[in-house]
Amino acid sequence: MGAQQVRDGFAALYGTGPQGVWAAPGRVNLIGEHTDYNDGFVMPFALPHDTIAAVSRRADGVLRLHSADVPGDPVELRVADLAPESDKDWTAYPAGVVWALREAGHEVLGADVHLTSTVPSGAGLSSSAALEVVVALALNDLYGLGLKPWQLARLCQRAENVYVGAPTGIMDQTASACCTQGHALFLDTRDLSQRQVPFDLAGEGLRLLVVDTRVKHAHSDGEYGKRRAGCEKGAALLGVDALRDVPYDGLDAALERLGDEEEIRRLVRHVVTEDARVERVIALLGSTGARAIGPVLTEGHVSLRDDFRISCPELDLVVDTALAAGALGARMTGGGFGGSAIVLAEETAVPSVTKAVEEAFAGAGFTSPRVFEAVPSAGARRLI
């Protein structure tokens, strides 16, 4: 569904055309997993899959939300009544953005919103962040708030952390708000400094595939929160503000200091080595080229599987099968416990790798995966 169709859908619902139409993309994370809430480094890029929103202001304190992807009439809320964790449905994400804007002192008096999305839900591709960011961008424009993309990302993260109750880091919202076409975003999550890194795989004869295992995850479930709490405990035991502050060349000494805290040791080892992997990928892209990053991606998966323990049989099958079929590297991406994996392969190897993964899933009795190419795309923007 394109911008004009969403605009027409808005008019059919609310009886008049919207004041504008906006889009915000999902993202795939190339490297840097579970580092963002540890003040570390990440390297996502925006997907060509968007959440599109047609929006108009209201001045009567009413927020009406509708999704073309969810059956039913618009949900009507009063902005003055919005309260954290009061809503467990999809509407919590856009409502949380309105709440966060108002909590930050911005006079958002209401809105009519009509949405649709091509970002796969529950696939580890930041469908929730795309939903938050598109609403935040629309309200920023309509109410003339003057907020920069990184500021919108922070408010969207607060909406997800506090209003929805999911303890996510800042990466997803920043990627959706700030990525640019043809680039990966090197983001330091401590100070939010950014660098757009050229990422032209096609120019090197390469492709990056996303394999959606169709195993659903939910960040607000307890396992994600346990990992974050464990990382915070590790930082406290080591006397640092965040695990970002544990140097890679001091990792062995840090692990020794943690003694018999085996679970904490594993979490610390993943975060510290993953930050180092982000820096290695940056260096390789600037020197040798993208082919050289394949083994680093695979190392990241092993760490997520064995140290962070957030993989699943479907994700492991994607990685093992793709590598056996000739892929240059592969790893799970996103929060874990399901979702998607990424596979770096020569363009000529894509058909055989894809076929091998599909056949492996069929042989294991798993639901057929969804496989598509990830192309670095534009971040959030106004369409109409």
Side-chain angles (χ1 to χ4, degrees):
M1 185 181 292
Q4 188 59 50
Q5 289 172 293
V6 177
R7 185 177 186 176
D8 293 344
F10 182 102
L13 278 170
Y14 300 124
T16 186
Q19 291 177 293
V21 180
W22 292 260
R27 66 95 189 98
V28 68
N29 193 24
L30 182 64
I31 193 72
E33 218 66 80
H34 288 266
T35 51
D36 59 345
Y37 54 79
N38 289 290
D39 281 4
F41 306 131
V42 295
M43 198 173 179
F45 62 86
L47 290 168
H49 303 74
D50 288 313
T51 296
I52 301 176
V55 186
S56 285
R57 288 179 302 180
R58 295 179 67 100
D60 59 358
V62 172
L63 175 64
R64 292 195 291 184
L65 303 168
H66 184 268
S67 171
D69 309 315
V70 179
D73 296 326
V75 175
E76 186 169 312
L77 305 167
R78 294 203 62 81
V79 297
D81 296 336
L82 299 177
E85 299 195 54
S86 61
D87 184 355
K88 298 300 180 182
D89 208 347
W90 71 268
T91 50
Y93 296 95
V97 169
V98 174
W99 171 84
L101 286 168
R102 287 170 58 85
E103 283 287 300
H106 303 291
E107 193 175 7
V108 176
L109 303 177
D112 286 335
V113 181
H114 176 56
L115 298 143
T116 190
S117 183
T118 58
V119 184
S121 176
L125 303 174
S126 298
S127 58
S128 60
L131 175 53
E132 293 157 356
V133 169
V134 74
V135 171
L137 180 61
L139 296 175
N140 185 50
D141 287 355
L142 291 175
Y143 280 93
L145 304 180
L147 297 171
K148 299 183 184 299
W150 68 267
Q151 293 174 308
L152 294 176
R154 277 203 155 167
L155 285 165
C156 289
Q157 183 201 15
R158 177 165 169 76
E160 189 151 349
N161 289 172
V162 180
Y163 195 92
V164 178
T168 56
I170 190 64
M171 175 183 68
D172 295 350
Q173 293 84 2
T174 305
S176 185
C178 300
C179 279
T180 62
Q181 188 170 354
H183 295 78
L185 178 69
F186 175 48
L187 173 66
D188 182 334
T189 64
R190 168 161 284 170
D191 61 12
L192 297 188
S193 60
Q194 304 176 15
R195 178 152 62 93
Q196 303 288 345
V197 180
F199 194 52
D200 179 17
L201 292 176
E204 295 188 49
L206 302 175
R207 294 291 185 270
L208 190 75
L209 302 177
V210 174
V211 182
D212 176 6
T213 66
R214 302 187 189 271
V215 177
K216 300 297 183 183
H217 70 88
H219 277 169
S220 51
D221 287 349
E223 290 301 315
Y224 185 100
K226 287 179 184 176
R227 300 307 189 279
R228 182 165 185 164
C231 290
E232 291 169 353
K233 181 179 178 181
L237 289 172
L238 293 170
V240 295
D241 290 337
L243 293 183
R244 148 73 172 278
D245 298 311
V246 179
Y248 180 73
D249 59 6
L251 177 58
D252 288 343
L255 295 178
E256 188 173 337
R257 287 172 57 196
L258 291 171
D260 60 0
E261 292 274 3
E262 182 55 36
E263 182 178 357
I264 303 301
R265 284 164 56 92
R266 287 190 287 100
L267 298 179
V268 170
R269 183 165 51 229
H270 166 72
V271 172
V272 175
T273 58
E274 187 78 348
D275 272 336
R277 279 186 284 273
V278 177
E279 294 183 300
R280 285 167 61 196
V281 166
I282 291 283
L284 289 168
L285 288 175
S287 57
T288 312
R291 275 180 182 80
I293 74 173
V296 187
L297 302 184
T298 305
E299 284 178 30
H301 182 77
V302 172
S303 182
L304 290 162
R305 182 191 68 199
D306 297 345
D307 277 342
F308 231 65
R309 299 188 180 181
I310 58 171
S311 190
C312 67
E314 291 86 351
L315 288 168
D316 292 340
L317 184 61
V318 174
V319 172
D320 294 343
T321 303
L323 293 173
L328 300 172
R331 73 173 191 89
M332 60 156 287
T333 187
F337 312 105
S340 298
I342 56 173
V343 177
L344 180 67
E346 301 282 355
E347 181 180 5
T348 54
V350 166
S352 58
V353 169
T354 301
K355 181 180 179 183
V357 170
E358 290 173 343
E359 290 180 346
F361 267 57
F366 295 152
T367 300
S368 180
R370 178 188 181 201
V371 183
F372 60 91
E373 183 181 350
V375 180
S377 301
R381 61 216 181 271
R382 186 168 187 163
L383 301 178
I384 297 176

